[in-house]
């Protein structure tokens, strides 16, 4: 958990190389911005992900590669645009999805 640590800047594309043992990635309450790199989908052993910052752009379709993901929170202050990628339907273990106030439109696949 890296919540509320006053982190600034953007998520680097190297995020996908954080290791296959990482099961939780939480960066709520920071001041991160920019787009969410597509390499985030390489974190395919994640069980929980909490993003909440000033991210812009669309959600990468690579989220669908995170088949072990059970809890995804992209709510609050996430200024995303576009629709929910159809690859979300590949996240077969997803039990909790929180997307309030995130700017996305359309239906959940």
């Amino acid at each position: 958990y890296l919540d509320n640590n006053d982190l600034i800047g953007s998520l680097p594309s190297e995020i996908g190389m954080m290791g296959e043992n990482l099961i939780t990635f939480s960066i709520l309450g920071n001041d991160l911005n920019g787009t969410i790199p597509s390499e985030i989908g390489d974190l395919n052993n994640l069980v929980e992900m909490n993003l909440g910052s000033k991210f812009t752009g669309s959600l990468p379709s690579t989220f669908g590669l995170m088949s072990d993901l059970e809890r995804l929170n992209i709510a609050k202050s996430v200024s995303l645009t576009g629709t929910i990628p159809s690859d979300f339907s590949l996240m077969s273990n997803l039990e909790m999805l929180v997307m309030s106030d995130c700017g996305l439109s359309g239906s959940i696949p």
Side-chain angles (χ1 to χ4, degrees):
Y1 291 91
L2 296 171
D3 299 342
N4 303 307
N5 276 296
D6 297 322
L7 299 175
I8 58 172
S10 60
L11 286 178
S13 60
E14 291 83 9
I15 187 103
M17 299 183 331
M18 289 183 68
E20 55 187 53
N21 294 324
L22 187 67
I23 58 169
T24 301
F25 181 69
S26 187
I27 53 173
L28 297 171
N30 289 294
D31 199 19
L32 298 169
N33 57 36
T35 60
I36 299 171
S38 62
E39 290 83 359
I40 204 161
D42 293 337
L43 299 174
N44 53 9
N45 289 325
L46 279 185
V47 173
E48 179 177 1
M49 177 181 285
N50 299 300
L51 303 176
S53 247
K54 299 174 184 170
F55 294 114
T56 58
S58 59
L59 282 180
S61 62
T62 54
F63 266 81
L65 299 175
M66 294 184 278
S67 58
D68 289 343
L69 199 62
E70 295 176 3
R71 295 175 297 282
L72 175 60
N73 178 355
I74 55 172
K76 306 282 185 203
S77 71
V78 182
S79 300
L80 297 170
T81 57
T83 59
I84 301 166
S86 61
D87 290 355
F88 262 48
S89 64
L90 301 175
M91 293 187 290
S92 57
N93 289 319
L94 196 62
E95 297 173 355
M96 183 189 82
L97 177 62
V98 181
M99 301 180 77
S100 59
D101 299 324
C102 69
L104 296 174
S105 62
S107 60
I108 299 172

